[in-house]
Amino acid sequence: MSNKLILLISFVALTFGCLTLAYEPKPLQDFCVADPNSSVKVNGLACKNPTQVQADDFFFSGLHLVGNTSNPFGSKVTPVFATQLPGLNTLGISMVRIDYAPWGINPPHTHPRATEILTVIEGTLQVGFVTSNPGNNLITKVLQKGDVFVFPVGLVHFQRNIGTGYAVAIAGLSSQNPGAITIANAVFGANPPVPGDVLTKAFQVDKSVVDLLQSKF
Ligand SMILES: *[C@@H]1O[C@H](CO)[C@@H](O)[C@H](O)[C@H]1NC(C)=O
Ligand SMILES: *[C@@H]1O[C@H](CO)[C@@H](O)[C@H](O)[C@H]1NC(C)=O
């Protein structure tokens, strides 16, 4: 092999290595089952003694249960994160079930730490995400049962049930603890509130509109 080729291969390997590291750190051991009782504060959750690990630490039961969608959005997310499944700690992966009432929405939100890949199990969903500034292009699609869509890490995205019945989706997320920032709640429901004059100027509306929106969250 020529030196140039070796250099190119090293560069590519280094680039992809760094991309991996840009998300969750690579585990340094087989597993690190979360110990909910540990008072140690680390990036993630402290490990349970590996000699005391059991099969149930890698197990979660309940994703067959229908989420309660009786809420203003008409949707319910059932998470399986490291908190619910301690064996996920340090593994950089998790999943959710999402139930939607007819015309229910999973409102615009972002996951600061995860890309999300979603598949429709039942029903018809309109899904979409918006690209970063400038541009803010809406990328949207109607999904039927069995269709798969990906929401890139950090981007604002939503789903809406546009079928006549209930809809169900399962999604995988590239973090043990993806985090969720629901835009409306974060902006209009902050505690303490974001000052009204910041929001009137940001949204270019009257104070009464901001007051109304803040009263809803
Ligand atoms: C955490 O502590 C509680 C109460 O002492 C105990 O019942 C539980 O088994 C402990 N959990 C683990 C994973 O050690
Ligand atoms: C669903 O949630 C609503 C609103 O919180 C509640 O009133 C209702 O009892 C719940 N239904 C079930 C079956 O848990």
Side-chain angles (χ1 to χ4, degrees):
M1 258 194 290
S2 77
N3 282 347
K4 265 189 188 160
L5 188 59
I6 292 170
L7 208 65
L8 181 69
I9 291 169
S10 315
F11 175 75
V12 169
L14 209 66
T15 308
F16 282 92
C18 291
L19 282 180
T20 316
L21 288 177
Y23 294 94
E24 275 167 40
K26 196 165 144 305
L28 303 175
Q29 53 210 334
D30 282 356
F31 48 76
C32 167
V33 171
D35 177 359
N37 293 339
S38 173
S39 60
V40 177
K41 301 291 174 214
V42 290
N43 185 23
L45 300 159
C47 309
K48 182 174 169 177
N49 182 342
T51 62
Q52 284 163 16
V53 161
Q54 295 164 358
D56 276 352
D57 291 323
F58 302 93
F59 172 80
F60 173 92
S61 177
L63 274 201
H64 61 299
L65 299 174
V66 178
N68 184 346
T69 57
S70 298
N71 57 61
F73 298 125
S75 74
K76 175 72 181 173
V77 176
T78 306
V80 188
F81 301 153
T83 316
Q84 289 80 25
L85 202 174
L88 285 178
N89 191 37
T90 74
L91 298 184
I93 195 168
S94 62
M95 70 191 295
V96 295
R97 169 184 173 133
I98 315 172
D99 288 278
Y100 310 84
W103 300 102
I105 61 158
N106 186 6
H109 63 282
T110 87
H111 302 293
R113 293 177 288 276
T115 289
E116 174 174 353
I117 185 166
L118 175 144
T119 187
V120 178
I121 302 297
E122 206 58 67
T124 306
L125 294 180
Q126 182 191 9
V127 301
F129 67 83
V130 179
T131 65
S132 298
N133 309 349
N136 300 131
N137 299 118
L138 173 65
I139 312 279
T140 183
K141 180 105 183 141
V142 170
L143 306 184
Q144 309 292 346
K145 183 173 179 170
D147 291 349
V148 177
F149 198 80
V150 64
F151 305 105
V153 60
L155 300 188
V156 174
H157 60 283
F158 64 88
Q159 300 105 36
R160 176 165 69 136
N161 180 3
I162 58 169
T164 49
Y166 279 79
V168 185
I170 297 281
L173 296 120
S174 61
S175 169
Q176 67 174 50
N177 179 26
I181 302 168
T182 304
I183 306 306
N185 300 58
V187 174
F188 296 107
N191 182 25
V194 176
D197 53 336
V198 171
L199 297 179
T200 50
K201 213 159 204 170
F203 287 84
Q204 300 280 294
V205 293
D206 291 337
K207 180 76 166 46
S208 59
V209 177
V210 166
D211 289 345
L212 177 67
L213 286 165
Q214 285 185 320
S215 73
K216 303 234 178 231
F217 294 97

